[in-house]
Amino acid sequence: MARITSLESLRALYKPPMERAVRKQLSALDRHCRRFIELSPFVVVSSTGADGRGDVSPRGEGAGFVAVLDDVTIAIPDRPGNNRLDTLTNIIANPQVGLMFMIPGVNEVLRVNGSAELRDDPDLTARFVVQERAPKLVILVHVTEAYLHCPKALMRSALWDSGRHVERSVLPSLSEMLRDQIAPGEAFEAPETALARYKTQLY
């Protein structure tokens, strides 16, 4: 077994990409990309910090929660989280981000790359008011690349097949796992209590 350290060694293992796979990369959002984003309730945001470490963060809400402002600009509201601000801190250090949009029941995904900025313009945050609460800021992404990704990964994972879904009970609750990781022996928050608390903190 050898470590692959060069592009030549890497490419030697794989066939050249199909022409369609190369040509599908767009420099702006077309009507299909826009429709995909409109139907998506979930996006994964990848970013890189000043130290070069990569990170990914899930963002989710009702379908279409990410707004397409124009063919090269999208806006993602920043809803309440754990206040680590990993993604936001990374964007300040390095604005390059990658996005992966998913639609439940659809095996294709949409990948979008671009540069991001953090905005707290009142007229922009006001677009994303839910339950009378506006987000503190909006992640504005200036699109440089967009392309639809084939369904092989989701087909292999059977992600949307309810018959393959795992019962939540096969894992300890999040509170239990965190207790074991950072405070062994301490009491943990009951799952039903945690769920009720989350529901009051969504916006």
Side-chain angles (χ1 to χ4, degrees):
M1 185 169 62
R3 181 179 179 185
I4 307 302
T5 59
S6 70
L7 180 58
E8 292 75 19
S9 298
L10 173 63
R11 271 296 167 198
L13 297 174
Y14 297 88
K15 296 177 181 179
M18 295 175 59
E19 180 184 4
R20 185 174 69 172
V22 176
R23 293 181 58 191
K24 70 179 181 179
Q25 183 174 311
L26 307 176
S27 58
L29 304 174
D30 71 350
R31 63 187 177 91
H32 300 299
C33 295
R34 295 173 72 114
R35 180 60 173 157
F36 203 102
I37 295 172
E38 179 184 339
L39 293 172
S40 175
F42 186 78
V43 62
V44 177
V45 182
S46 68
S47 60
T48 305
D51 56 5
R53 293 185 180 182
D55 185 60
V56 292
S57 175
R59 306 285 166 134
E61 206 170 328
F65 77 101
V66 174
V68 177
L69 303 187
D70 56 48
D71 289 348
V72 291
T73 315
I74 62 178
I76 307 171
D78 187 59
R79 300 302 185 189
N82 56 23
N83 291 324
R84 283 175 55 105
L85 309 184
D86 295 319
T87 300
L88 306 183
T89 301
N90 287 349
I91 288 172
I92 290 175
N94 179 358
Q96 299 305 309
V97 296
L99 312 175
M100 184 173 71
F101 290 92
M102 305 174 74
I103 302 172
V106 174
N107 282 335
E108 293 78 14
V109 302
L110 174 66
R111 293 169 61 177
V112 176
N113 299 321
S115 61
E117 59 176 311
L118 309 180
R119 304 295 300 251
D120 65 354
D121 314 48
D123 60 333
L124 186 57
T125 58
R127 295 181 58 142
F128 299 97
V129 170
V130 176
Q131 296 181 7
E132 301 182 350
R133 296 180 183 178
K136 294 183 184 297
L137 58 81
V138 172
I139 302 171
L140 213 59
V141 178
H142 304 285
V143 177
T144 56
E145 299 174 344
Y147 50 96
L148 292 163
H149 194 105
C150 79
K152 292 178 184 176
L154 270 68
M155 290 173 64
R156 285 189 288 257
S157 68
L159 186 64
W160 310 126
D161 182 355
S162 61
R164 300 271 293 273
H165 289 180
V166 175
E167 290 291 334
R168 181 62 186 85
S169 59
V170 303
L171 283 172
S173 70
L174 176 61
S175 296
E176 289 177 274
M177 290 188 283
L178 291 177
R179 183 272 315 273
D180 292 345
Q181 292 173 342
I182 62 178
E186 290 189 7
F188 61 88
E189 185 177 29
E192 56 274 14
T193 302
L195 181 60
R197 177 170 57 80
Y198 293 151
K199 288 181 178 180
T200 67
Q201 298 172 342
L202 295 178
Y203 298 99

